[in-house]
């Protein structure tokens, strides 16, 4: 049976994949994870690095006796699945990137501080609200935005800050080197995902697929689930990653 592991975004939880489970579960064994510090997982005071998250994913796979799986990541989850691939390529059947970077972007330190600094202060909830709202540009997504935001604000501040540092600080990259496994990309329309990025993705593997779901923001799998699910099922099916 094919295995699919779904890895959520920064400050998210496994419920962010709720719309995908009915579409994927008849065609594969689906494993959902609350990363450490998120959802119902423990939230110790520790460094929430991409390695820490990747080790947690590998631990869940071991526990569930999964030899090999297609890893699907959203946003920060893409960094996490890429680190899993760097650590244990033999366990990865395919990589699916949902609106996240398949390499560590070079973000200047002052810009990083502009993102992380306000999260350290008492007004962090307002900063998080503005940050998340900016990623829901489509009208009609307000109710969904508020639900996503409520879930994200349930994540403790120390986890939010540390995980951001784990992505953008002076930490190891998660860049995907050349790989024989399928590398599949589903993005929202954004200036970040330009022709250069698409060319980069297509250089990573002989098996790639790159698609944009129009009329969506950063949480495309929740904003347009039917369209997203049709695309991901098609992509995985074409590359032999579904039953």
């Amino acid at each position: 049976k094919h295995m699919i592991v779904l890895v959520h975004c920064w400050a998210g939880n496994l419920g962010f994949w709720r719309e995908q489970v009915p579409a994927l579960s008849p065609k594969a064994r689906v494993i959902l994870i609350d990363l450490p510090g998120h959802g119902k997982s423990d939230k110790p005071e520790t460094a929430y690095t991409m390695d820490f998250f990747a080790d947690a994913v590998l631990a869940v796979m071991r526990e569930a006796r999964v030899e090999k799986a297609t890893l699907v990541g959203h946003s920060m989850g893409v960094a996490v699945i890429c680190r899993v691939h760097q650590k244990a390529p033999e366990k990865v059947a395919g990589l699916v990137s949902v609106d996240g970077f398949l390499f560590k972007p070079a973000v200047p330190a002052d810009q990083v501080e502009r993102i992380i600094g306000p999260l350290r202060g008492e007004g962090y909830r307002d900063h998080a609200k503005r940050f998340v709202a900016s990623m829901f540009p489509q009208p009609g997504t307000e109710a969904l935005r508020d639900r996503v935001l409520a879930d994200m604000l349930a994540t403790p501040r120390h986890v939010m800050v540390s995980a951001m540092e784990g992505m953008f600080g002076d930490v190891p990259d998660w860049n995907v080197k050349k790989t024989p496994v399928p590398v599949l990309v589903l993005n929202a329309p954004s200036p970040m995902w330009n022709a250069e990025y698409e060319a980069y993705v297509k250089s990573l593997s002989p098996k790639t697929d790159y698609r944009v779901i129009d009329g969506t923001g950063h949480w495309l799998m929740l904003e347009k689930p039917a369209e997203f699910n049709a695309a991901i099922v098609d992509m995985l099916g074409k590359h032999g990653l579904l039953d």
Side-chain angles (χ1 to χ4, degrees):
K1 195 153 175 69
H2 285 90
M3 307 279 180
I4 297 174
V5 176
L6 298 167
V7 182
H8 62 74
C9 61
W10 173 81
N13 62 58
L14 58 76
F16 284 18
W17 299 109
R18 56 187 174 268
E19 300 283 0
Q20 281 59 63
V21 174
L24 294 173
S25 55
K27 302 171 187 296
R29 183 177 167 209
V30 178
I31 294 172
L32 296 145
I33 296 174
D34 275 336
L35 292 171
H38 295 74
K40 294 191 167 69
S41 289
D42 291 342
K43 300 165 179 68
E45 293 278 352
T46 187
Y48 288 88
T49 62
M50 298 305 110
D51 273 350
F52 182 53
F53 291 140
D55 289 340
V57 172
L58 285 164
V60 169
M61 288 173 69
R62 266 195 311 277
E63 186 78 8
R65 295 194 162 76
V66 175
E67 288 301 309
K68 205 171 197 167
T70 298
L71 306 180
V72 182
H74 171 238
S75 195
M76 181 189 81
V78 178
V80 176
I81 67 171
C82 291
R83 281 306 278 171
V84 173
H85 179 257
Q86 284 180 344
K87 286 168 172 278
E90 71 287 353
K91 293 193 172 297
V92 179
L95 292 168
V96 183
S97 167
V98 180
D99 225 51
F101 282 98
L102 287 159
F103 62 86
K104 182 174 186 277
V107 184
D110 60 327
Q111 206 176 324
V112 171
E113 196 44 44
R114 274 206 301 278
I115 300 170
I116 302 177
L119 290 172
R120 294 196 183 99
E122 286 310 307
Y124 82 97
R125 297 175 78 88
D126 293 327
H127 175 63
K129 274 183 191 166
R130 285 192 297 274
F131 183 62
V132 172
S134 71
M135 292 187 271
F136 277 98
Q138 299 298 327
T141 55
E142 293 78 10
L144 177 63
R145 176 198 68 200
D146 292 347
R147 183 171 174 190
V148 164
L149 186 60
D151 276 352
M152 293 176 83
L153 286 172
T155 309
R157 183 172 63 174
H158 70 271
V159 177
M160 285 186 166
V161 171
S162 184
M164 275 287 186
E165 290 168 345
M167 264 191 292
F168 296 119
D170 187 14
V171 292
D173 74 54
W174 58 82
N175 305 4
V176 177
K177 312 297 187 277
K178 295 269 193 283
T179 178
V181 304
V183 177
L184 314 176
V185 170
L186 271 161
N187 284 345
S190 163
M192 283 187 304
W193 315 129
N194 52 22
E196 193 185 354
Y197 184 73
E198 184 174 350
Y200 163 75
V201 169
K202 290 182 170 167
S203 75
L204 295 176
S205 164
K207 303 172 188 161
T208 56
D209 196 342
Y210 185 98
R211 303 190 193 185
V212 174
I213 307 277
D214 285 329
T216 58
H218 189 51
W219 281 269
L220 52 164
M221 69 283 195
L222 286 168
E223 292 174 54
K224 286 201 171 176
E227 207 174 317
F228 180 94
N229 292 348
I232 196 170
V233 165
D234 184 53
M235 291 162 106
L236 292 170
K238 278 185 177 162
H239 289 284
L241 298 170
L242 294 175
D243 297 341

